[in-house]
Amino acid sequence: MTVNRAGRRALGAILKREKIAPRRAGAAAAAAGAERSAVAARRRLPGLLRSPPSRAAAMAGAGGGGCPAGGNDFQWCFSQVKGAIDEDVAEADVISTVEFNYSGDLLATGDKGGRVVIFQREQEVPILKPMDLMVEASPRRIFANAHTYHINSISVNSDHETYLSADDLRINLWHLEITDRSFNIVDIKPANMEELTEVITAAEFHPHQCNVFVYSSSKGTIRLCDMRSSALCDRHSKFFEEPEDPSSRSFFSEIISSISDVKFSHSGRYMMTRDYLSVKVWDLNMESRPVETHQVHEYLRSKLCSLYENDCIFDKFECCWNGSDSAIMTGSYNNFFRMFDRDTRRDVTLEASRESSKPRASLKPRKVCTGGKRKKDEISVDSLDFNKKILHTAWHPADNVIAVAATNNLYIFQDKIN
């Protein structure tokens, strides 16, 4: 089996410190793409973004927060776009995270250059403007010397006192007031690094139970851990995995099954995972298979070979819930993003583009043609631009307002009645 350059590079970053040579292609594929994760707070920013007094109460006060996403109940329209129009975008300017705070009044973005920009929503209108004196953020505390590998997740606990940070092989628990030490709660590093077969890809605390957290792996599995049972959660409480169909197994199976994001629903009853081709919703009471599977871009299955060659197959797409957990959103290529209505089972593909950036301009659903005669307004799968990708999205916790990061541009969309 041949290991591509991304696989050698990613696993080599881990094995270099161990002074051994990578030999197993399976481990290389499992670790491939790890170096793309940013050490900056890619997932969540402590305090500002994830410290509500009671998120459940906020949802109830908001009346459920959000309408279905299918596109037939209302129409999404353009609101704003932030960012320069540049042909050559510097790596430091690429947006690496976007998230609303618990009330939805603030929206924060971070880029690969380490900058954080905070937008504040104007009263009565869904317009976001940069906050004065807060465009460039400086650290108030630095939590250091706890991770050897790339940090891929930060999640603040519902107790508002602790948070976790996860890298490829370990998860650490921190106290917000103690910067010089942390507690290791998960460690999957094998005694012999040649036996490494998977890495941690994402982790998150439960929104209401401060003792429960989950983490996903590059093998497509999710482990739920309870810190009450043991200080070191080397034994999980629940193990979520979907049985693989042997007839559909291929060289790319392990790579595309790697989970790039995991998110609890606001209610805490469900969790959502994103792999390369799909989004899955899991009931915490059922470990054997997901209760929902939504195909994001199944038309790319025939393109996996070329996506492997250009390293796009290692892209890390995130996903998010709307305020009432009735709809989910995730990104795709060609600056497309997908929405799925869990109640009606409808879905829609929309595009973040400056061509439709007139105020209140309606977004037209997009369709991808996989073969045969292409209809009007359809785009051929061979014409998709894989350099344009939506990796990071956020949904307002109470209203139908969404934020979509497209390279160095931040798009804000809303429903027409908002």
Side-chain angles (χ1 to χ4, degrees), residues 68-103:
N72 295 321
D73 301 279
F74 62 84
Q75 205 163 25
W76 289 97
C77 67
F78 173 83
S79 177
Q80 294 173 266
V81 60
K82 307 288 186 181
I85 307 176
D86 296 321
E87 290 295 331
D88 297 321
V89 180
E91 183 72 8
D93 295 332
V94 175
I95 297 174
S96 58
T97 186
V98 56
E99 186 138 9
F100 286 98
N101 74 328
Y102 71 94
S103 68

Side-chain angles (χ1 to χ4, degrees), residues 190-256:
N192 183 356
M193 284 295 287
E194 290 188 343
E195 298 175 358
L196 177 67
T197 60
E198 64 179 332
V199 295
I200 297 170
T201 57
E204 184 176 66
F205 266 121
H206 191 278
H208 310 304
Q209 301 175 31
C210 61
N211 53 287
V212 174
F213 68 94
V214 296
Y215 67 93
S216 58
S217 86
S218 55
K219 280 192 170 182
T221 61
I222 312 102
R223 293 170 174 85
L224 184 144
C225 300
D226 190 336
M227 292 188 292
R228 294 174 301 183
S229 60
S230 174
L232 180 63
C233 299
D234 51 353
R235 294 186 178 180
H236 48 267
S237 299
K238 293 187 177 183
F239 183 78
F240 299 84
E241 182 179 26
E242 184 176 23
E244 182 183 20
D245 182 3
S247 64
S248 63
R249 181 162 183 80
S250 70
F251 172 80
F252 305 107
S253 295
E254 185 174 334
I255 302 176
I256 64 176

